[in-house]
Amino acid sequence: MPERTRPRGDHGSGSARDPRTLVMGVLNVTPDSFSDGGRYERLEEAVARGAELAAQGAHVIDVGGESTRPGAEPVPVDEEQRRVLGVIEALTAQGIDVSVDTIHAATAEAAVAAGARYINDVSGGTHDPAMLGVAAAAARERGVRFIAGHWRGVPDPAHGRSDYADVVAEVREELAQRARAALAAGIDRSRLVLDPGLGFDKTGAQCWELLARLDELTGLGYPVLIGASRKRMIADALDGLPAASRATAPGASGHPRDLATSVTSALAAGAGAWGVRVHDVAGTVQALAIGRAFQSARVHDGGGEDGAPPEAPAPDRITLTGLEVFAHHGVFDFEREQGQRFLVDAELAVELRAAAAGDQLSRTVHYGELAEAIVAAVRRDPVDLIETVAERVAQLALGFAGVRRATITVHKPDAPIPAAFGDVSVTVVREAPDPRPAGRTEPPRRGDRRES
């Protein structure tokens, strides 16, 4: 079994500078996955393979029962569950952390009941409208993480949906939209992981550009999972090499793209990835160990005092004040029945230089979208306390791209107070977790369902 420096289920926020980037081992229990379909269809073989991956160093085993490769046939939900649930139960019984790779809410719910600690949805909750609700309940009740992938539908081999003007900016914004939808559905920010969906309606060149500019994705403030394992982007990059250099694979169960995948995963970790999803766990953990040794030597050789980077400049701010919302919060029955006015002030700390330099709306917070999202959040689900409302709005605001800190004040000017008063309000200040803190100790797990 891998060395575990944290309690089971507590894989926090590994990162580029993190000494322990999360490794997610791929376990496809399908007959038609693009790389290893049919190898682990029997329960005993699948469980043995999952245990092997864990022994090699995988923090999480990502179990998938339906292929999302281009051209794959859809699988009925009951058949998908037949394939994955027994494997999940058996692996969790051995103390192994498991993710379920699915786009179906019913399968996700059943997998969580069977012990899964991650829901890995390559569609980011867009395929099944019930998914975000299931993920929110799982996060709230069991601490399950939701991995939201970027996609534009079932992958098109002809790349008909790969027409990006700026693939990084557009994927970043679409991931930010999925994050806002997840928060609005009730998924706690700390339970959310994003995945740029390499290989999903993206050319090889676009995938490499996403990796090269990974800091723009981690800048959203969420852990980012990378799944490049054995994908066509790897083959494309190796095309110019002599055939003899690509003809063999290391290890009896290896694949010609595994070595290059391990290098890619180490580079992604060095660029800020929280986790990597791979078929070849042994090769990946070795590559990551070398990357850590290299990075450690660089840190001790230079940088600021003790190798520390210079302090980041104070962020800019966007302020929205006096937003009026009629809602039904309060501890008294008549407040719930009649409703009353609430006023919301929001101050967001966010870096605005890139938006100003390029005059790009996509690089800043859209004020109208912010206002609409706050109104919707305040109106839903009546609660007793405005403290709860303020916390809800703060977590929502932190879901907007690039927001580092949210200061939220909720006013209740018509509160039922038996004395003359001007206003009553609650203010909360919440900061986005740094996706790449030095010495990070918690790499959260995330399942990614790529061309598997």
Side-chain angles (χ1 to χ4, degrees):
M1 295 295 290
E3 175 187 0
R4 293 184 181 274
T5 57
R6 310 175 189 85
R8 179 174 176 270
D10 184 21
H11 295 285
S13 29
S15 78
R17 286 66 172 167
D18 181 299
R20 288 292 181 270
T21 299
L22 177 131
V23 177
M24 177 174 285
V26 177
L27 180 56
N28 293 315
V29 289
T30 59
D32 60 344
S33 290
F34 86 99
S35 174
D36 53 1
R39 294 186 64 182
Y40 308 111
E41 285 188 86
R42 294 180 57 224
L43 176 63
E44 298 81 4
E45 294 170 342
V47 174
R49 176 57 175 168
E52 179 184 31
L53 293 173
Q56 291 173 348
H59 300 96
V60 184
I61 308 302
D62 190 37
V63 180
E66 178 181 22
S67 174
T68 53
R69 64 175 175 80
E73 290 294 324
V75 175
V77 170
D78 58 349
E79 171 61 16
E80 181 188 34
Q81 293 182 19
R82 184 195 68 78
R83 295 174 180 179
V84 303
L85 294 182
V87 179
I88 293 171
E89 290 174 350
L91 290 175
T92 56
Q94 296 182 36
I96 297 171
D97 289 331
V98 177
S99 164
V100 61
D101 179 6
T102 184
I103 57 177
H104 304 290
T107 298
E109 188 171 34
V112 169
R117 302 291 299 168
Y118 290 83
I119 297 171
N120 176 25
D121 181 354
V122 295
S123 81
T126 60
H127 178 81
D128 188 335
M131 178 63 86
L132 293 183
V134 166
R140 182 173 60 251
E141 297 167 9
R142 298 174 181 254
V144 169
R145 287 183 182 271
F146 180 64
I147 303 167
H150 174 272
W151 89 339
R152 291 181 165 183
V154 176
D156 176 11
H159 289 295
R161 294 187 294 265
S162 303
D163 54 340
Y164 302 89
D166 182 333
V167 65
V168 179
E170 292 177 50
V171 169
R172 183 180 191 272
E173 176 54 31
E174 289 169 29
L175 282 174
Q177 291 174 4
R178 296 318 306 154
R180 291 196 290 271
L183 295 181
I187 298 173
D188 188 85
R189 182 185 181 87
S190 67
R191 301 290 94 191
L192 183 61
V193 178
L194 301 181
D195 184 330
L198 301 182
F200 285 89
D201 288 317
K202 301 169 187 73
T203 65
Q206 289 168 340
C207 291
W208 288 113
E209 188 171 358
L210 283 163
L211 289 179
R213 295 166 57 187
L214 189 58
D215 62 317
E216 296 182 43
L217 303 182
T218 59
L220 289 171
Y222 297 92
V224 174
L225 178 73
I226 293 297
S229 186
R230 298 181 179 178
K231 291 191 174 175
R232 184 171 297 278
M233 60 181 283
I234 302 290
D236 290 346
L238 301 177
D239 268 349
L241 297 180
S245 70
R246 298 181 280 114
T248 58
S253 62
H255 185 283
R257 301 177 191 174
D258 280 348
L259 178 58
T261 293
S262 296
V263 175
T264 303
S265 295
L267 291 172
W274 156 84
V276 291
R277 179 183 183 271
V278 297
H279 298 80
D280 175 24
V281 169
T284 298
V285 296
Q286 292 180 43
L288 292 174
I290 297 301
R292 289 194 298 271
F294 181 78
Q295 181 63 29
S296 177
R298 291 188 64 188
V299 168
H300 288 95
D301 188 53
E305 182 180 346
D306 297 325
E311 186 176 348
D316 306 315
R317 288 172 175 77
I318 292 175
T319 303
L320 175 67
T321 61
L323 186 64
E324 184 169 330
V325 187
F326 191 86
H328 294 262
H329 307 295
V331 297
F332 297 109
D333 290 343
F334 69 85
E335 292 182 288
R336 295 293 185 95
E337 294 168 1
Q338 299 174 13
Q340 61 189 296
R341 291 184 307 139
F342 296 86
L343 301 176
V344 180
D345 301 330
E347 181 184 278
L348 311 185
V350 59
E351 176 57 62
L352 297 176
R353 283 178 293 186
D359 195 29
Q360 293 178 298
L361 178 60
S362 63
R363 304 303 297 273
T364 185
V365 174
H366 190 300
Y367 318 137
E369 290 184 358
L370 174 64
E372 290 177 3
I374 292 176
V375 169
V378 175
R379 282 178 176 167
R380 71 173 175 85
D381 301 338
V383 295
D384 288 346
L385 305 177
I386 56 175
E387 288 88 338
T388 307
V389 178
E391 183 68 31
R392 180 188 298 175
V393 174
Q395 294 302 321
L396 171 75
L398 289 173
F400 279 76
V403 175
R404 301 183 191 177
R405 183 174 62 253
T407 303
I408 305 297
T409 301
V410 176
H411 304 264
K412 190 175 180 180
D414 302 321
I417 298 176
F421 71 101
D423 185 28
V424 62
S425 66
V426 166
T427 299
V428 300
V429 180
R430 299 290 181 266
E431 295 192 1
D434 183 349
R436 297 178 299 180
R440 173 162 293 174
T441 57
E442 186 204 18
R445 303 166 261 159
R446 170 239 218 227
D448 160 4
R449 168 197 208 118
R450 314 284 150 230
E451 303 167 31
S452 53

